[in-house]
């Protein structure tokens, strides 16, 4: 897109997903569009533009309304619910001489030259003001306001407000949640209802946002807000809802001329061209002063302190302003539908370079796109002189006397400080909607000549002289002083950025130290757990070894006991088959010690075979066969069971060998066969 393509007409940029840019259907990869002119409207003299959601509107000088973009809810007024990708005239309004439109996400309102209000689109919650909740695909006059002259209308996402010309009463209708209608309750209104709290006030401007409303009073220029207070968007220093209009105390010392409301943020413009924003972070334009947070009270956008702003617009998540020189500055959550500069931070107010010098007189912001109006004829003398100054020409001479300037370097009008704000194409109240006067048109032609001279190199100067005035020493000094001041301001900004970076670095270092200490604690806990585990393992092993030792000791005692038992058994004369696995006869008995009861320790009744008494074995007692007595333990003169001496030992050895050959079982566990 060349520079010449945006000299005049309607300029759009941002997303074209639903045709809201009016430049036709584009492929998905080309839907992020840089500023470009709407060719379909090049031959139409547009006087106002508006947008919301994913669609746009334009009003021509002859009172025709053009709409394009997303049309599912009938907000395009074309009698259908289809998307329109190029501007299309609303036939129902062609003879109504519309002079002002306001757009919300799902409905539209328009005011005719005779003060008749038309609404159309989605009718939920009674936002259209026709007495019901039905949607309207075509514009329909609000009969409840018949006989009243409506001077201004503003559409919020779920409600609508308008201002009458005489008397300047404010009416609201639609969704009443959070008190956004200002009637002291949260009830819906299907018909326009007078805001009693503002009945005695002389209101000059009304605005509606997603969940809140605002007005400006003429006498004092004070701002009143009410409705939902989430993110602090009412500017009252809290997040509480307000069901009736309440003055914004933080701006009482300043005279306001315009206010614009988004879904969760607000912006106000003072008579001195200052911009204040508050509400949800990420779209307030304060990022150049540090990390942005929700603002409960209005805060000046310092990045715009060097320019004189004439209009401000709030979109869903971005904002844009128009300066006295016809430039556009924008900021928000995205570059694509904000300032479009890839090298700049999205939420830092930045001038859109491609629109510089294009005489922008109005801007409007939607959800993912923006629209602006370029018109050289509608720049006032103040803007013309400012543009001349920016091109290096003299500020102008009146009766041979240079114009006065303020301390900030701005031109001062003849009316003094109170006349600092120029009469502008987009003023508040009735003046903002009137056609340009003859003086304004002559001044606009003057700027057009300036532009032509700058591009074409005409010899005639802007004030009737030959070319531009020659530079003087005073002008050079003033220029160098201005440059030096600009560099100083830039240095201060860089120093502030460095300080913020240092603060962030310190915060990161503190966080790193904290994480390091946490890691050390985790390591210490891990080491303690390992030590406890080793202790438990050591105790367990000690218990196992103790149990093994005790088992081995018991096994040794039993082995010694059964070893002595075996050594005292005479098994040579017995048949191993009589007691398989034992080598003992069925009538085997062990000689009992003197004084032992019959039957011995085997059975309580003394019948049958009895086991040997371990105590007797331990004392070396002899063991005899059944019916026999062992010498020294039984009847006197009884012969021993086995021979004694060398012969006895040999006999025992032979008997033991015979028993081993027969496969006798060991007498203790784990001994196997002997």
């Amino acid at each position: 897109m060349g520079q010449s393509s945006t000299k005049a007409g309607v300029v759009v940029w941002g997303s074209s997903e639903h045709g809201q840019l009016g430049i036709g259907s584009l492929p998905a990869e080309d839907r992020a569009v840089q500023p470009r002119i709407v060719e379909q409207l090049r031959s139409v003299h547009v006087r106002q533009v508006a947008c919301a959601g994913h669609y746009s509107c334009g009003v021509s000088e002859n009172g025709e309304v053009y709409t394009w973009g997303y049309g599912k809810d009938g907000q395009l007024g074309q009698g259908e619910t289809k998307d329109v990708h190029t501007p299309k005239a609303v036939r129902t309004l062609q003879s109504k001489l519309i002079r002002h439109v306001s757009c919300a996400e799902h409905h539209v309102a328009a005011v005719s030259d005779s003060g008749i209000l038309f609404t159309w689109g989605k009718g939920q919650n009674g936002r259209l003001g026709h007495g019901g909740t039905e949607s309207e695909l075509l514009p329909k006059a609000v009969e409840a306001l018949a006989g009243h002259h409506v001077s201004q209308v503003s559409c919020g996402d779920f409600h609508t407000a308008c201002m009458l010309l005489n008397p300047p009463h404010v009416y609201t209708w639609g969704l009443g949640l959070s008190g956004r209608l200002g009637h002291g309750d949260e009830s819906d209104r299907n018909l326009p209802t007078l805001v009693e709290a503002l009945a005695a006030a002389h209101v000059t401007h009304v605005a509606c946002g997603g969940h809140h409303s605002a007005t400006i009073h003429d006498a004092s220029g004070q701002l009143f807000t009410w409705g939902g207070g989430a993110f602090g968007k009412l500017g009252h220093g809290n997040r509480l809802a307000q069901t009736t209009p309440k003055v914004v105390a933080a701006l009482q010392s300043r005279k306001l001329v315009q206010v614009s409301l988004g879904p969760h943020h607000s912006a106000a413009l003072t008579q001195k061209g200052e911009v204040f924003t508050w509400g949800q972070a990420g779209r307030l334009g304060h990022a150049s002063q540090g990390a942005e947070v929700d603002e409960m009270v209005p805060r000046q956008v310092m990045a715009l302190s060097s320019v004189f702003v004439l209009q401000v617009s709030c979109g869903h998540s971005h904002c844009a302003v128009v300066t006295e020189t016809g430039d556009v500055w924008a900021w928000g959550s995205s570059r694509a539908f904000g300032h479009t500069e890839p090298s700049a931070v999205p939420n830092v107010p930045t001038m859109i370079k491609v629109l510089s010098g294009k005489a922008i007189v109005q801007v409007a912001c939607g959800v993912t796109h923006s629209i602006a109006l370029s018109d050289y004829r509608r720049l006032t003398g103040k803007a013309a002189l400012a543009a001349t100054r920016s091109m290096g020409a003299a500020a102008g001479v009146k009766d041979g006397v240079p114009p006065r300037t303020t301390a900030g370097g701005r031109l001062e009008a003849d009316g003094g400080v109170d006349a600092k704000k120029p009469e502008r194409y987009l003023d508040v109240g009735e003046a903002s909607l009137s056609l340009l006067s003859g003086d304004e048109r002559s001044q606009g032609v003057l700027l057009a000549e300036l532009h032509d001279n700058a591009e074409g190199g005409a010899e005639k100067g802007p004030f009737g002289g030959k070319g531009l005035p020659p530079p003087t020493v005073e002008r050079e000094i003033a220029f160098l002083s201005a440059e030096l001041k600009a560099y100083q301001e830039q240095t201060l900004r860089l120093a502030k950025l460095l300080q913020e970076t240092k603060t962030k670095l310190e915060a990161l270092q503190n966080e790193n130290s904290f994480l390091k200490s946490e890691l050390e604690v985790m390591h210490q806990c891990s080491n303690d757990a390992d030590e406890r585990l080793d202790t438990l393992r050591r105790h367990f092993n000690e218990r196992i070894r103790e149990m093994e030792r005790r088992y081995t000791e018991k096994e040794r005692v039993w082995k010694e006991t059964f070893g002595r038992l075996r050594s005292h058994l005479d098994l040579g004369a017995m048949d191993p088959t009589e007691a398989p696995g034992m080598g003992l006869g069925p009538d085997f008995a062990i000689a009992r010690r003197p004084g032992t009861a019959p039957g011995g320790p085997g059975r309580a009744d003394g019948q049958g075979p009895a086991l040997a008494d371990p105590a007797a074995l331990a004392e070396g007692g002899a063991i005899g066969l059944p019916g026999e007595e062992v010498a020294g333990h039984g009847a006197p003169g009884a012969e021993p069971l086995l021979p004694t001496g060398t012969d006895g030992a040999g006999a025992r050895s032979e008997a033991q060998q015979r028993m081993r050959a027969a496969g006798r079982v060991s007498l203790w566990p784990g001994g196997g066969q002997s």
Side-chain angles (χ1 to χ4, degrees):
M1 179 188 70
Q3 291 283 337
S4 60
S5 63
T6 57
K7 286 183 179 178
V10 177
V11 182
V12 292
W13 66 95
S15 171
S16 64
E17 182 179 2
H18 298 282
Q20 59 262 47
L21 300 186
I23 56 178
S25 180
L26 297 178
E29 61 271 14
D30 296 332
R31 287 180 178 172
V33 178
Q34 292 290 313
R36 68 168 64 179
I37 195 168
V38 180
E39 294 292 340
Q40 293 276 354
L41 296 175
R42 183 179 286 276
S43 61
V44 179
H45 189 189
V46 179
R47 61 177 298 172
Q48 186 216 346
V49 292
C51 68
H54 303 286
Y55 69 101
S56 306
C57 294
V59 181
S60 67
E61 286 283 3
N62 58 8
E64 291 188 347
V65 177
Y66 295 82
T67 60
W68 63 93
Y70 184 74
K72 182 179 179 181
D73 297 310
Q75 58 265 55
L76 300 184
Q78 305 292 346
E80 55 186 7
T81 58
K82 296 180 181 178
D83 294 352
V84 177
H85 294 271
T86 55
K88 184 177 181 180
V90 180
R91 294 183 179 181
T92 307
L93 298 175
Q94 283 184 340
S95 60
K96 306 303 180 182
L97 296 178
I98 302 300
R99 58 186 176 85
H100 173 66
V101 296
S102 177
C103 299
E105 188 168 359
H106 304 288
H107 73 293
V108 185
V111 179
S112 70
D113 193 53
S114 58
I116 301 175
L117 177 63
F118 297 85
T119 60
W120 65 93
K122 194 171 185 178
Q124 186 180 8
N125 305 114
R127 70 189 75 177
L128 299 183
H130 300 311
T133 59
E134 296 80 11
S135 297
E136 298 289 342
L137 301 183
L138 295 172
K140 181 179 178 180
V142 179
E143 298 179 359
L145 294 174
H148 298 280
H149 193 286
V150 178
S151 61
Q152 185 196 353
V153 65
S154 180
C155 295
D157 286 348
F158 305 97
H159 69 297
T160 311
C162 75
M163 184 177 63
L164 303 186
L165 180 60
N166 191 19
H169 288 166
V170 176
Y171 286 77
T172 60
W173 60 95
L175 181 66
L177 185 65
S178 301
R180 70 193 70 188
L181 300 183
H183 302 309
D185 55 35
E186 295 185 297
S187 300
D188 295 353
R189 302 292 196 281
N190 294 341
L191 291 172
T193 305
L194 175 67
V195 181
E196 297 289 347
L198 300 175
H202 186 74
V203 178
T204 59
H205 187 75
V206 62
C208 293
H211 312 276
H212 61 310
S213 308
T215 56
I216 295 178
H217 295 192
D218 180 42
S220 59
Q222 290 185 346
L223 175 66
F224 287 75
T225 60
W226 64 93
F231 305 101
K233 57 190 170 188
L234 296 182
H236 298 156
N238 54 54
R239 295 182 173 88
L240 302 178
Q242 179 71 30
T243 58
T244 56
K246 180 180 178 181
V247 66
V248 179
L251 294 175
Q252 280 187 296
S253 61
R254 302 176 185 272
K255 189 171 183 179
L256 302 181
V257 294
Q258 190 214 342
V259 61
S260 181
L261 308 180
H264 297 293
H265 68 296
S266 309
L269 178 65
T270 70
Q271 191 181 33
K272 295 182 179 180
E274 302 163 324
V275 177
F276 288 80
T277 59
W278 63 97
Q280 187 178 17
R283 61 214 66 193
L284 303 181
H286 303 312
S288 61
Q289 300 167 260
E292 189 171 277
V293 296
D294 295 348
E295 296 291 343
M296 302 293 109
V297 295
R299 178 181 177 186
Q300 185 177 358
V301 181
M302 299 307 298
L304 298 174
S305 60
S306 61
V307 297
F308 193 101
V309 177
L310 293 175
Q311 187 234 336
V312 60
S313 176
C314 290
H316 184 272
S317 57
H318 70 294
C319 299
V321 299
V322 177
T323 68
E324 62 179 348
T325 58
D327 295 324
V328 178
W329 293 62
W331 64 92
S333 61
S334 173
R335 299 182 181 90
F337 45 83
H339 53 61
T340 71
E341 295 294 335
S343 60
V345 178
N347 196 29
V348 172
T350 305
M351 186 179 70
I352 302 178
K353 295 180 181 179
V354 72
L355 297 180
S356 178
K358 300 302 183 243
I360 302 299
V361 295
Q362 187 201 350
V363 66
C365 301
V367 174
T368 58
H369 75 296
S370 301
I371 183 171
L373 178 60
S374 171
D375 192 345
Y376 285 100
R377 299 181 307 165
R378 293 172 60 181
L379 287 176
T380 64
K382 177 87 176 242
L385 295 178
T388 304
R389 182 183 58 189
S390 66
M391 289 187 294
V397 179
K398 184 176 181 180
D399 297 332
V401 180
R404 298 187 302 272
T405 59
T406 63
R410 297 192 181 100
L411 292 175
E412 183 179 353
D414 294 338
V417 177
D418 293 338
K420 186 177 182 181
K421 181 182 184 300
E423 297 177 0
R424 186 60 161 137
Y425 55 87
L426 192 62
D427 206 348
V428 298
E430 179 67 17
S432 66
L433 306 176
S434 62
L435 295 175
L436 295 171
S437 64
D439 293 338
E440 288 175 328
R441 291 186 183 276
S442 62
Q443 292 163 349
V445 173
L446 173 63
L447 182 63
E449 292 177 357
L450 287 175
H451 184 75
D452 294 339
N453 292 339
E455 290 189 351
E459 293 183 357
K460 188 176 180 180
F463 303 100
K466 294 292 184 178
L468 296 176
T472 62
V473 177
E474 292 78 6
R475 287 184 56 212
E476 291 181 357
I477 293 175
F479 173 77
L480 293 176
S481 298
E483 290 293 319
L484 179 60
K485 183 178 179 180
Y487 282 122
Q488 290 175 345
E489 292 177 353
Q490 185 176 4
T491 302
L492 291 177
R493 286 195 296 269
L494 290 176
K496 185 180 294 184
L497 289 176
L498 288 175
Q499 182 64 30
E500 293 172 358
T501 304
K502 180 182 178 181
T503 303
K504 292 180 181 179
L505 181 60
E506 291 176 352
L508 290 176
Q509 289 177 346
N510 294 334
E511 184 178 0
N512 187 25
S513 301
F514 174 75
L515 293 176
K516 184 177 179 180
S517 61
E518 289 291 325
L519 185 60
E520 292 177 355
V521 171
M522 292 177 63
H523 280 305
Q524 184 65 31
C525 293
S526 177
N527 294 334
D528 294 342
D530 291 339
E531 292 178 359
R532 288 194 294 269
L533 185 60
D534 292 339
T535 302
L536 291 175
R537 187 183 295 109
R538 184 171 62 256
H539 291 170
F540 181 76
N541 291 334
E542 291 177 356
R543 291 290 301 275
I544 292 295
R545 286 193 294 270
E546 179 65 19
M547 292 175 64
E548 290 178 350
R549 187 187 62 77
R550 292 179 181 178
Y551 177 78
T552 303
E553 181 65 22
K554 291 181 180 181
E555 186 180 18
R556 184 185 62 78
V557 171
W558 281 105
K559 283 184 179 180
E560 292 178 354
T561 302
F562 283 104
R564 287 194 297 271
L565 178 62
R566 290 184 60 191
S567 64
H568 289 80
L569 292 177
D570 186 6
L571 304 177
M574 299 177 62
D575 187 0
T577 60
E578 294 178 357
M582 294 294 294
L584 302 176
D587 297 327
F588 168 75
I590 302 176
R592 60 181 179 272
R593 296 175 61 185
T596 302
R603 292 178 57 179
D605 55 2
Q607 302 296 326
L611 296 177
D613 186 358
L617 294 177
E619 294 177 359
I623 300 175
L625 293 176
E628 298 180 342
E629 293 288 343
V630 180
H633 297 279
E639 295 181 359
L641 175 64
L642 295 178
T644 59
T646 304
D647 296 337
R652 284 199 302 271
S653 177
E654 292 177 1
Q656 290 174 357
Q657 290 177 1
R658 288 196 303 271
M659 293 178 66
R660 291 192 185 97
R664 184 173 56 83
V665 181
S666 173
L667 292 179
W668 57 83
Q673 294 181 348
S674 58

